Amino acid sequence: MDPYKHIPSSAFDSPFFTTNYGAPVSNNNSSLTVGPRGPILLEDYHLVEKLAHFDRERIPERVVHARGASAKGFFEVTHDISHLTCADFLRAPGVQTPLIVRFSTVIHERSSPETLRDPRGFSVKLYTREGNFDLVGNNFPVFFIHDGMKFPDLIHAFKPNPKSHIQEKWRIVDFLSHHPESLHMFTFVFDDIGISQDYRHMEGSSVNTFSLINKAGKAHYVKFQWKPTCGVKSLLEEEAIKVGGANHSHATKDLYDSIAAGNYPEWKLYVQTIDPDHEDRFDFDPLDVTKTWPEDIVPLQPVGRMVLNKNIDNFFAENEQLAFCPALVVPGVYYSDDKMLQTRIFSYSDTQRHRLGPNYLQLPVNAPKCAHHNNHHDGFMNFMHRDEEVFDPVRHAERFPIPPAICNGRREKCIIEKENNFKQLGERYRSWAPDRQERFICRWIDALSGPRVTHEIRSIWVSYWSQTDKSLGEKLASRLNVKPTM
């Protein structure tokens, strides 16, 4: 047996108990003592190893997206978009790429109910022939803020009160009263689709704007959209209470049971593209994640399909240790100057190095399935054997095009110029049926009626919603007994 090719796994189980270093254990029931009633001896290595490992079973929980479920499958190209990108995994219809997906809730802890009103994470890791491509998104196409500088503050507003450890709506509406760009996201979170029925019946979106580059070096801005073939389904408040009361892991169970039964979930992938030369033609900034690209102006283009046909083999190894980062792109796909994306490029890999260590990309679930080589050495939990040779720079890979944009300007901190924070959400609100509008209003009445929400904060929100839709603002003002401040 070659010891360097033997990977520890339950597939190599011996017929008897052993220590972690492989020595046989003749008794796994009793500690080593001095006589039958005497004290336990420190030399009982098996006992010490067993307890010490148990004490260290938990790794740091994700700050966000702690609660989640994963599944494996494949992505298949159905439409040719080689005119947009030179990405190998999108080279032609019929090409299939293995992948793993993780769905999640965002704010609450690892064991929290899956029926809370919360966005859902929708992250896909494609194991391409040119490295891993992580498409890290949510089930809603927009976000609360458009600059990553405010992300930690936003999350702290949604997290439980540090004093009581209870999530309190007054902290959310207080903080976001200073950020009118958040209103668009609230038309999703406080809408009827704010609680997904399960993971199979929800859409996915890259939220961020990336770039596609073809062989000629022409770049287009791109947003990715996943559409479930079984449709979108959600839970209203009463339904969520009933479902969550029966099983707080209902969405994880639904995904696992559906795949086990051969009812494989499937999503269609679409892209929207904008020529960077045309970005000034819109009344909003296309790189602002608080805005959508209207489909009547920027139509959806079909690309392929994703099928989840295999459950994970181990929850810890393939869900808890599964790590995503939007910085992981492949030739033909690149970043944009989207401010949220630019900060996520750093933050996601940084959190994985904290949770899992600097060699987290060596873990089987995160490692690329193609040949890979670099000069990264050692570090905690490294198990890759490096050659004696230090890779010579002249052995670089083929050069692939990246966006050719030229940057110039002063160093300064500034907001997005074309915010236009009220138009799109007003159109969205007016597209709803009256009963759906009423439920949205009731959720806002509840959020703004807490005793710690000041009259000033209520007035600010009424002003915001009045600018969104006059009748919406009037209804909120009437029921809250306030007048707009703007």
Side-chain angles (χ1 to χ4, degrees):
M1 181 187 73
D2 183 348
Y4 295 108
K5 293 183 178 179
H6 184 83
I7 301 175
S9 167
S10 59
F12 298 99
D13 280 348
S14 71
F16 48 79
F17 251 83
T18 73
T19 63
N20 272 353
Y21 65 91
V25 174
S26 60
N27 185 335
N28 188 49
N29 299 316
S30 303
S31 304
L32 182 65
T33 59
V34 179
R37 302 289 299 279
I40 294 175
L41 297 176
L42 187 61
E43 69 184 63
D44 189 346
Y45 177 82
H46 178 53
L47 170 66
V48 173
E49 177 185 76
K50 191 174 182 179
L51 292 178
H53 191 278
F54 177 77
D55 292 342
R56 294 163 175 80
E57 283 183 357
R58 293 294 171 261
I59 61 176
E61 182 176 288
R62 291 173 172 90
V63 178
V64 287
H65 298 277
R67 172 60 129 141
S70 304
K72 302 175 183 178
F74 65 88
F75 174 76
E76 180 180 23
V77 179
T78 57
H79 292 73
D80 183 11
I81 62 165
S82 58
H83 61 290
L84 292 172
T85 177
C86 59
D88 177 75
F89 80 99
L90 297 172
R91 64 188 178 274
V95 173
Q96 289 191 357
T97 303
L99 55 78
I100 187 168
V101 176
R102 187 175 189 269
F103 305 109
S104 56
T105 60
V106 176
I107 293 299
H108 297 278
E109 293 88 347
R110 183 159 43 196
S111 58
S112 58
E114 294 177 305
T115 49
L116 299 176
R117 184 169 296 279
D118 197 18
R120 301 296 190 265
F122 194 121
S123 298
V124 183
K125 184 184 294 292
L126 295 113
Y127 301 106
T128 86
R129 301 192 306 182
E130 298 178 308
N132 293 351
F133 173 39
D134 284 4
L135 191 49
V136 190
N138 287 334
N139 64 325
F140 299 144
V142 294
F143 197 59
F144 292 100
I145 53 176
H146 46 216
D147 192 318
M149 175 67 81
K150 293 180 282 191
F151 184 77
D153 310 316
L154 170 75
I155 297 305
H156 293 155
F158 274 88
K159 285 288 187 179
N161 187 320
K163 184 176 182 179
S164 64
H165 199 66
I166 298 172
Q167 187 185 43
E168 297 171 338
K169 293 177 182 177
W170 72 267
R171 302 177 71 241
I172 300 170
V173 298
D174 189 342
F175 173 74
L176 288 174
S177 67
H178 304 284
H179 302 290
E181 70 269 24
S182 67
L183 271 72
H184 200 178
M185 182 64 166
F186 275 118
T187 64
F188 290 88
V189 177
F190 276 21
D191 181 23
D192 288 352
I193 62 173
I195 306 175
S196 297
Q197 176 179 292
D198 50 58
Y199 297 133
R200 293 184 300 123
H201 293 89
M202 69 181 195
E203 296 181 340
S205 172
S206 63
V207 185
N208 293 121
T209 299
F210 287 81
S211 298
L212 292 180
I213 310 97
N214 63 19
K215 289 182 179 179
K218 174 60 180 176
H220 285 84
Y221 291 144
V222 63
K223 283 181 179 284
F224 298 90
Q225 308 285 347
W226 299 99
K227 304 285 186 182
T229 57
C230 58
V232 175
K233 295 183 180 180
S234 307
L235 299 173
L236 295 180
E237 285 82 350
E238 297 78 10
E239 297 171 315
I241 292 172
K242 182 178 180 180
V243 171
N247 182 359
H248 81 295
S249 299
H250 80 285
T252 297
K253 185 177 187 301
D254 173 83
L255 179 66
Y256 190 94
D257 290 350
S258 295
I259 294 174
N263 181 22
Y264 301 140
E266 181 176 336
W267 285 261
K268 303 293 186 183
L269 177 64
Y270 298 85
V271 294
Q272 292 176 286
T273 60
I274 291 177
D275 189 323
D277 294 336
H278 302 160
E279 62 178 302
D280 292 333
R281 298 180 180 181
F282 301 90
D283 60 2
F284 62 92
D285 189 330
L287 304 186
D288 181 354
V289 296
T290 68
K291 309 297 182 293
T292 58
W293 295 357
E295 294 177 15
D296 58 335
I297 301 174
V298 188
L300 294 172
Q301 305 175 55
V303 178
R305 68 187 187 112
M306 174 175 68
V307 179
L308 301 182
N309 59 4
K310 187 178 188 303
N311 280 312
I312 57 176
D313 298 307
N314 181 272
F315 188 83
F316 181 80
E318 297 179 301
N319 184 76
E320 289 305 297
Q321 292 192 132
L322 177 57
F324 293 92
C325 177
L328 275 57
V329 296
V330 293
V333 183
Y334 204 70
Y335 322 120
S336 74
D337 292 335
D338 173 339
K339 288 189 175 184
M340 279 299 297
L341 175 60
Q342 290 287 318
T343 47
R344 293 177 78 210
I345 288 171
F346 161 76
S347 181
Y348 274 64
S349 56
D350 188 55
T351 194
Q352 307 306 349
R353 294 183 187 107
H354 165 67
R355 289 197 325 116
L356 304 171
N359 290 304
Y360 77 95
L361 288 173
Q362 292 183 19
L363 293 168
V365 72
N366 299 322
K369 308 312 175 191
C370 61
H372 54 288
H373 195 145
N374 54 49
N375 289 334
H376 298 172
H377 282 210
D378 308 334
F380 287 110
M381 305 307 293
N382 172 69
F383 53 89
M384 179 176 289
H385 294 275
R386 297 292 184 183
D387 294 335
E388 294 177 343
E389 175 190 11
V390 176
F391 227 38
D392 192 290
V394 300
R395 298 170 63 182
H396 283 158
E398 176 186 353
R399 184 173 181 176
F400 289 90
I402 61 174
I406 298 175
C407 298
N408 61 78
R410 300 181 305 176
R411 292 188 182 97
E412 56 184 324
K413 294 192 173 188
C414 53
I415 63 173
I416 290 176
E417 292 182 357
K418 289 195 293 186
E419 288 195 289
N420 200 357
N421 289 323
F422 305 104
K423 179 183 177 181
Q424 290 189 354
L425 48 152
E427 294 170 346
R428 176 172 168 80
Y429 173 79
R430 287 185 290 274
S431 71
W432 296 340
D435 59 332
R436 187 172 175 179
Q437 292 180 349
E438 177 61 24
R439 287 189 292 271
F440 178 77
I441 292 171
C442 288
R443 293 177 189 117
W444 269 103
I445 297 296
D446 176 66
L448 296 174
S449 296
R452 298 194 66 175
V453 180
T454 66
H455 183 81
E456 178 187 6
I457 297 299
R458 292 191 186 101
S459 298
I460 291 173
W461 281 105
V462 169
S463 296
Y464 286 160
W465 290 117
S466 297
Q467 294 176 74
T468 300
D469 181 85
K470 184 179 179 181
S471 65
L472 170 59
E474 290 173 347
K475 291 175 182 177
L476 287 171
S478 174
R479 299 189 198 184
L480 292 168
N481 193 29
V482 298
K483 293 181 179 181
T485 60
M486 302 177 189

